Amino acid sequence: MELTSTALALLGLMLAAWTAGAVWLVMSSLRRSRSARAARSTARRLSRMIDDSPAIPLLVKPDGKIEGPDRIAAWLGFESLPGFLSELDGGDAGLTEGDLEQLQDAVRRTQKTAAPFRMMITPRGSEKSLALRGQLANASIASGGAVLVWWFDFSESQGELSRLRSETARARNDFAALVGLIEAAPMPMWFRGPDMDLRLVNSAYVDAVGAETAAKVVEQQVELVEAADGLNAAEIARQALVKDLPIERIVQATVGSQRRTLRVSDLPLGAEGVGGYAIDIEELEEQTRAFRAFRAAQRSMLDQLSVGVAQFDEDRRLTFANQPFQRIFSLPNSAQVDPPRFERFLDIARDASRLPEVRDFPEWRAEMAGWFQASAPVEESWTLPDSTHLRIVAQPMPDGGLVMVAEDRSEQLALSATRDTLLRTRTATFDSLFESLGVFAPDGRMQLWNRSFPAIWGLPEEYFDEHPHVDQLLDRIANRLARPAQRKAIGEVVRAATLDRKERGGRVVLSDGRTLEFAGVPLPDGNGLLTVMDVTDSTKAEEALRERATALEEADAVKTRFLANMSYEFRTPLTSIGGFAELLQSGIAGELTEQGSEYVAAIIASVERLSTQIESVLDLTQSEAGLLPMARENVELLSFTTHIVRTREEAIEAKGLTLDLRGDKNAGHVNADQRQLGRAIGNLLDNAIDATPGGGRILVALGRRKSGARIVISDNGEGMKPSELARALDGYRLQGSDGKDGKRGLGLPLARQLIEAHGGRLEIQSEKGTGTTATVLLP
């Protein structure tokens, strides 16, 4: 029993201790739970504060791992923040390769040196501007060289700064442009400060006052405008500033070395000062004076007209009336001293019986007064009691005034009757003409025609009573033309005469075989005259003449071919004759007698001469046909001409002639066929030798021009008349200086053809009794 009490006591003590321990544990647990809740609440509050903060931390550990909130991932375009710094370059999101490399370098430098860093980045595909500030992390945050990087989003601030910079740059550019505009302004401009001293002037101001620079103008306070009425320019500018109203005045000033009229304006600019500018109106003043003089001259000229002209101002008062107007409406002299109003003018004219008779004059007068408000000119015809016919034109003016023109047309009406008589006479004259005539108005409608015009086209006269349009007329006659499309040519001629005021013509063939020739002639009154004539007979004669000309041309071609063929045919027998004659001369057939030797020599000479003539004919025909072969080479002109002269030395000495060859190396070279050009020059020289009498003189001169070489062959022979020169150029023989047949023949035509084949020109001048000069121009 005692053991049981002791056990129970121990058991109670144990239960009490256990209860006390449990209570302490519970109390301790409650304290730790409250501390944990407080810590979680603080952590959530700090996390929320970080989320709402403009700066977000990113912890970079020494091994490259990163820790940070998801906001950074959202800024960089990631769904979640990567685990390592090197993974911030995600290709389409994150940092660019350059920014990431720069950030890694900055982190490594901070880990080694503990130096903070700053940098700016822009994520891929984003317009955000992020600022990064890095520093070594506190040991309580992370140990072992971790770096804490704070991220700031300053996109809005950056945008505002960019906008402000843009506006500042634009304002600076606008200010510079404004300053440049003021500087480049052709008129003097200036700015005065609050003390009315000059602060700024432009170049035009400097030039106007004759200063060197704008700085000296401001330093010396050189004024452009002189003092007037006891006030200088600065005092007048002060008045504009005090009254806060612009002041404009016209003054005289010395600009450069001339006295000019200026319109000067002072513009208050608030507390900043006063701006001003001056406009040179000297030319405007001169134009105003010239306008006054012109108006006076104009009114003087209007007095010389036969048409009455009057002008009323916007108050309907007469300001001017020329002498014919005063005479037509019998205006008294007092109208010049006390100009009446328009209504009073009508009363004065009515009292003088210079207005038409009307039933209700007050109503009619009010109707006439409405001319001032009319939108277009008004034209009327007035018949006065004395049978005077007036044409009245009222022209409203933009300023509210009115110009009134009165023309006496009484004589014109009388002339109109005379004109009608003349028109009837003209119509009768038209009908009696052989040609068919039609007159068309500028709009293409037919106005007048004579009796033969419908007949030549085969149309009834009644059709023209409707004054048809030219297109309608052409439609009617189209089926009468051999080629209906030619109707367009007739229409073009009519339009050219009426609208273009040009003369044109043409020819059409009718389906019945007739040929009509037509022409359009512009008339002074603006209409166009179409003349049509039947030229069938003359056309047939023309065709016959044309056929005859063609036959003649063919005959000439046949002649040319015949001469060429005959030249070739003559060469073979001549060659044989010459060859046998030379054999006889050489003694192959035995010794010849003296007389036989003379005969053989004559045969050889004749063969050579005939061969030369045949060759000339052949070359001439080939040259005329453009088939002459040319072997061009570079020819030295002086030696070439000298050789030609040397070959004719015997002929020159035989006649006792004197030949003067003038020229030197400066004559140059020509690109020519040496043989053909030599024949041309030789023919001209042969003609000169043949035409010059014994003891005469021949001149051969070489020269050079910009366009090429020139060879002149001149003699003092008998010369030729123009008719003889024309015959010589055509190849006819003329008498030589000894009265016998000369050697011209084909020489001159062949020479001309050969020279022209070289691209040159032959000019021959000859005067009877003086001599002949042949000039060869070669390119």
Side-chain angles (χ1 to χ4, degrees):
M1 192 65 177
E2 290 179 359
L3 181 58
T4 303
S5 297
T6 303
L8 290 173
L10 291 173
L11 182 59
L13 289 173
M14 291 176 66
L15 289 173
W18 181 82
T19 301
V23 170
W24 181 81
L25 290 174
V26 170
M27 295 300 292
S28 297
S29 176
L30 290 174
R31 285 196 300 270
R32 284 195 298 269
S33 177
R34 284 195 297 270
S35 298
R37 284 196 299 271
R40 285 195 300 271
S41 176
T42 301
R44 285 195 299 271
R45 186 166 58 254
L46 291 176
S47 177
R48 182 58 58 87
M49 291 173 64
I50 291 175
D51 290 339
D52 296 338
S53 172
I56 304 175
L58 177 69
L59 183 64
V60 183
K61 296 182 178 180
D63 56 358
K65 289 185 178 181
I66 57 175
E67 295 181 2
D70 291 337
R71 283 180 63 193
I72 296 180
W75 284 359
L76 298 179
F78 293 114
E79 294 182 0
S80 61
L81 189 65
F84 291 89
L85 183 63
S86 59
E87 297 176 355
L88 291 182
D89 181 6
D92 296 335
L95 303 182
T96 62
E97 183 178 353
D99 289 343
L100 179 59
E101 183 177 354
Q102 183 180 358
L103 177 59
Q104 290 175 336
D105 293 341
V107 169
R108 284 193 293 268
R109 188 167 50 253
T110 301
Q111 288 174 343
K112 294 178 180 179
T113 63
F117 66 87
R118 293 186 180 186
M119 61 180 296
M120 307 281 294
I121 62 171
T122 299
R124 292 180 184 270
S126 174
E127 296 181 356
K128 286 181 176 294
S129 296
L130 303 179
L132 276 62
R133 296 182 183 180
Q135 62 187 24
L136 198 63
N138 193 284
S140 60
I141 298 176
S143 59
V147 176
L148 184 62
V149 182
W150 290 92
W151 296 60
F152 298 88
D153 184 0
F154 67 105
S155 301
E156 295 182 359
S157 300
Q158 182 68 17
E160 184 67 18
L161 288 174
S162 299
R163 186 182 64 81
L164 292 176
R165 290 192 188 98
S166 176
E167 292 180 355
T168 302
R170 186 166 56 252
R172 186 181 297 108
N173 293 335
D174 293 345
F175 180 75
L178 181 60
V179 171
L181 179 63
I182 294 173
E183 181 66 19
M187 66 188 72
M189 303 181 73
W190 61 88
F191 172 72
R192 300 179 186 274
D195 56 356
M196 296 300 108
D197 289 341
L198 291 173
R199 297 286 182 85
L200 296 172
V201 295
N202 65 349
S203 298
Y205 190 103
V206 176
D207 295 338
V209 299
E212 296 181 0
T213 61
K216 289 189 177 181
V217 172
V218 175
E219 179 182 355
Q220 300 174 5
Q221 291 294 304
V222 181
E223 294 287 352
L224 172 64
V225 181
E226 304 165 359
D229 298 332
L231 296 176
N232 57 28
E235 291 173 343
I236 296 177
R238 188 179 299 278
Q239 290 181 359
L241 182 62
V242 172
K243 297 178 181 179
D244 195 22
L245 291 174
I247 295 179
E248 184 177 287
R249 62 195 188 280
I250 297 177
V251 298
Q252 295 287 329
T254 301
V255 178
S257 59
Q258 297 181 351
R259 197 70 175 168
R260 311 288 292 181
T261 303
L262 303 179
R263 179 183 287 114
V264 181
S265 300
D266 289 297
L267 308 174
L269 303 177
E272 300 298 328
V274 177
Y277 61 89
I279 301 177
D280 190 341
I281 60 172
E282 182 67 26
E283 287 79 5
L284 181 61
E285 291 293 317
E286 292 179 359
Q287 291 178 2
T288 302
R289 291 190 292 269
F291 173 74
R292 295 194 186 100
F294 171 76
R295 185 172 60 181
Q298 185 183 46
R299 291 184 173 181
S300 176
M301 179 190 67
L302 291 176
D303 284 336
Q304 308 302 319
L305 298 178
S306 61
V307 177
V309 180
Q311 184 173 1
F312 296 86
D313 61 13
E314 63 275 9
D315 296 328
R316 301 185 182 181
R317 190 171 297 278
L318 181 66
T319 58
F320 170 75
N322 66 350
Q323 294 296 330
F325 191 90
Q326 299 178 38
R327 183 175 60 255
I328 290 173
F329 292 101
S330 300
L331 291 179
N333 294 331
S334 60
Q336 300 295 325
V337 180
D338 184 16
R341 293 173 61 84
F342 181 74
E343 291 80 359
R344 177 57 184 160
F345 153 72
L346 294 178
D347 293 338
I348 295 173
R350 185 191 182 205
D351 294 340
S353 299
R354 306 308 297 168
L355 291 181
E357 295 290 342
V358 294
R359 178 175 301 178
D360 190 348
F361 178 74
E363 182 180 355
W364 181 84
R365 181 177 59 189
E367 182 181 349
M368 297 300 101
W371 287 348
F372 285 85
Q373 287 79 34
S375 58
V378 180
E379 182 174 343
E380 292 186 358
S381 296
W382 291 359
T383 302
L384 305 187
D386 61 355
S387 299
T388 299
H389 296 272
L390 297 180
R391 173 176 174 264
I392 303 298
V393 178
Q395 173 67 58
M397 302 302 291
D399 60 355
L402 181 73
V403 173
M404 184 174 176
V405 180
E407 180 184 3
D408 190 344
R409 305 191 64 182
S410 302
E411 294 183 2
Q412 294 182 10
L413 293 177
L415 291 174
S416 178
T418 305
R419 183 178 67 92
D420 293 339
T421 303
L422 292 176
L423 288 177
R424 288 192 294 270
T425 303
R426 184 185 67 179
T427 302
T429 304
F430 272 15
D431 290 338
S432 63
L433 291 177
F434 176 73
E435 296 89 349
S436 299
L437 303 178
V439 178
F440 292 86
D443 60 356
R445 192 166 294 278
M446 199 167 192
Q447 300 294 320
L448 298 172
W449 60 93
N450 63 354
R451 191 172 301 169
S452 61
F453 192 87
I456 200 169
W457 296 111
L459 297 176
E461 294 186 4
E462 295 78 10
Y463 173 73
F464 292 89
D465 293 339
E466 301 177 358
H467 297 273
H469 193 272
V470 62
D471 294 334
Q472 298 174 351
L473 176 62
L474 295 177
D475 291 339
R476 289 290 300 271
I477 68 175
N479 58 353
R480 291 172 171 80
L481 300 177
R483 289 186 298 171
Q486 286 187 324
R487 63 181 293 279
K488 183 178 180 182
I490 303 175
E492 291 297 331
V493 169
V494 174
R495 291 184 181 89
T498 55
L499 300 180
D500 300 337
R501 314 299 298 162
K502 294 181 180 179
E503 295 186 11
R504 290 185 180 178
R507 182 175 290 186
V508 294
V509 179
L510 301 184
S511 56
D512 58 4
R514 289 183 299 155
T515 301
L516 303 182
E517 191 174 77
F518 58 92
V521 180
L523 298 178
D525 59 355
N527 295 331
L529 174 66
L530 178 65
T531 63
V532 185
M533 182 179 295
D534 190 340
V535 294
T536 305
D537 295 338
S538 60
T539 301
K540 293 180 179 179
E542 181 182 352
E543 291 178 354
L545 291 175
R546 188 178 292 108
E547 292 175 357
R548 184 177 180 183
T550 302
L552 291 175
E553 291 177 357
E554 293 178 354
D556 185 68
V558 171
K559 179 199 71 173
T560 301
R561 291 194 298 271
F562 170 77
L563 291 176
N565 293 333
M566 290 302 296
S567 298
Y568 281 113
E569 294 295 333
F570 283 155
R571 277 187 173 184
T572 302
L574 283 176
T575 303
S576 299
I577 294 172
F580 286 125
E582 289 177 355
L583 290 175
L584 290 174
Q585 191 180 38
S586 65
I588 194 171
E591 190 71 23
L592 297 177
T593 64
E594 181 179 353
Q595 188 175 9
S597 297
E598 291 179 359
Y599 291 161
V600 171
I603 292 173
I604 293 174
S606 297
V607 168
E608 290 178 354
R609 183 175 179 182
L610 186 57
S611 297
T612 302
Q613 292 296 327
I614 291 174
E615 189 173 357
S616 297
V617 170
L618 180 60
D619 289 343
L620 183 61
T621 55
Q622 287 181 333
S623 178
E624 289 178 348
L627 302 175
L628 183 65
M630 302 287 289
R632 293 180 180 268
E633 57 182 309
N634 197 22
V635 178
E636 201 275 319
L637 201 56
L638 178 60
S639 60
F640 171 70
T641 308
T642 303
H643 174 71
I644 295 175
V645 173
R646 291 291 185 189
T647 58
R648 288 155 177 79
E649 188 172 358
E650 293 182 3
I652 295 173
E653 292 177 350
K655 294 190 68 173
L657 304 179
T658 301
L659 190 143
D660 187 5
L661 177 59
R662 299 179 183 178
D664 53 22
K665 295 293 184 179
N666 293 330
H669 298 72
V670 292
N671 185 20
D673 186 319
Q674 189 167 355
R675 174 179 172 274
Q676 303 293 1
L677 183 60
R679 293 184 64 195
I681 304 299
N683 286 344
L684 295 176
L685 186 55
D686 289 340
N687 286 338
I689 294 172
D690 183 59
T692 305
R697 185 175 181 180
I698 299 175
L699 172 65
V700 179
L702 307 179
R704 189 153 196 90
R705 290 183 173 181
K706 292 182 178 180
S707 58
R710 183 181 68 172
I711 304 174
V712 179
I713 302 174
S714 177
D715 63 69
N716 60 350
E718 290 296 325
M720 293 178 287
K721 298 179 182 178
S723 59
E724 294 175 341
L725 178 60
R727 287 172 58 83
L729 290 173
D730 288 338
Y732 293 98
R733 286 185 174 274
L734 300 176
Q735 287 186 348
S737 60
D738 54 1
K740 300 180 180 180
D741 285 347
K743 295 183 180 180
R744 287 183 176 87
L746 298 177
L748 284 179
L750 180 59
R752 181 173 59 181
Q753 291 289 342
L754 293 175
I755 292 170
E756 291 178 352
H758 285 81
R761 188 171 74 253
L762 173 62
E763 298 177 355
I764 299 180
Q765 297 178 347
S766 185
E767 185 176 351
K768 193 68 174 178
T770 302
T772 303
T773 300
T775 304
V776 178
L777 301 175
L778 294 173

